[in-house]
Amino acid sequence: MTDGRKASWRISQAEAVQMDILPGWYATRGRRRLLAATGAFSLGLAWAMAGVVWVAGPDEGARWIVLTLLAVMLVIYLPAVTLMNVATRGVTALTERNLDERQVGERLRATAVAHRLMTRLLAALACLTLVVGLLRGREHMVPGSTLLYLSLAVALTHFVLPLIVSCWRMPDPPPDDEDEDERSSSAGGGAAAGAPGIGA
């Protein structure tokens, strides 16, 4: 890809994350956390595919289960990642030159949290592999198809986990000054209306 195409791609990507696509899905912190949980669920389906292949092996029935899980995962994963990128305004997707200082700081924090979570996940996977090896004997080998699906699950998790963390952590924006003034004036007007007159 040439420099001109790279620049054009960065510009189009920055413009895309500024578009409000289905804003009701991420308007509040609760909805953004639900969206992040949906993205995490789609990653769980990727890990489930690896588990099915590991347990069932290259069986025809397992193949259909994996294809079904893959279809469901893609239906959930693609819109969830798109909406999370829009909700976070591309904090983890854009280059640092397209982010302000606050966004860069949030990106670093989300990446640090995701790194800790990923380390624990890999440690748990290593422990599981050791336990299975001890139970099945030293001659047990992990099938190549299982390694393929495990690699896919690890890659997707490594790629998307910072975005999920950022979407989960994102707070609601502070209220506008005009809204605060309106609430203050309405509260003051109500108090004045309820106060007794001097001559009462």
Side-chain angles (χ1 to χ4, degrees):
M1 185 179 291
T2 62
D3 292 339
R5 290 183 178 180
K6 288 182 180 179
S8 178
W9 165 253
R10 293 194 193 103
I11 293 173
S12 61
Q13 190 179 27
E15 292 175 349
V17 297
Q18 297 300 324
M19 296 172 57
D20 286 328
I21 305 173
L22 300 175
W25 287 62
Y26 49 84
T28 63
R29 188 172 193 178
R31 292 184 180 182
R32 286 191 297 274
R33 289 193 165 184
L34 181 60
L35 185 60
T38 303
F41 175 74
S42 67
L43 293 180
L45 292 177
W47 287 92
M49 286 190 295
V52 169
V53 174
W54 194 352
V55 172
D59 183 71
E60 187 67 25
R63 187 176 304 169
W64 283 107
I65 294 175
V66 168
L67 289 176
T68 302
L69 290 175
L70 178 61
V72 174
M73 186 204 75
L74 291 177
V75 169
I76 298 174
Y77 174 86
L78 294 176
V81 169
T82 300
L83 291 177
M84 282 191 291
N85 272 315
V86 174
T88 59
R89 298 306 182 193
V91 165
T92 60
L94 300 178
T95 58
E96 290 191 5
R97 72 181 67 179
N98 297 112
L99 304 176
D100 56 30
E101 293 183 1
R102 181 194 63 78
Q103 290 175 316
V104 171
E106 174 56 32
R107 179 177 186 163
L108 292 175
R109 287 188 290 270
T111 303
V113 174
H115 177 74
R116 290 195 295 269
L117 293 175
M118 193 68 191
T119 301
R120 295 172 185 173
L121 182 61
L122 292 176
L125 179 62
C127 292
L128 177 62
T129 304
L130 289 175
V131 170
V132 172
L134 291 174
L135 292 177
R136 296 190 177 184
R138 294 182 178 179
E139 68 279 0
H140 173 70
M141 299 291 292
V142 178
S145 56
T146 301
L147 293 177
L148 176 63
Y149 283 100
L150 277 176
S151 300
L152 174 64
V154 170
L156 284 177
T157 305
H158 174 74
F159 178 72
V160 180
L161 197 54
L163 176 60
I164 293 175
V165 172
S166 179
C167 188
W168 181 273
R169 288 169 42 91
M170 187 177 177
D172 287 332
D176 295 335
D177 293 337
E178 295 180 359
D179 295 338
E180 291 182 353
D181 293 340
E182 289 178 1
R183 283 195 291 270
S184 299
S185 61
S186 61
I198 298 177

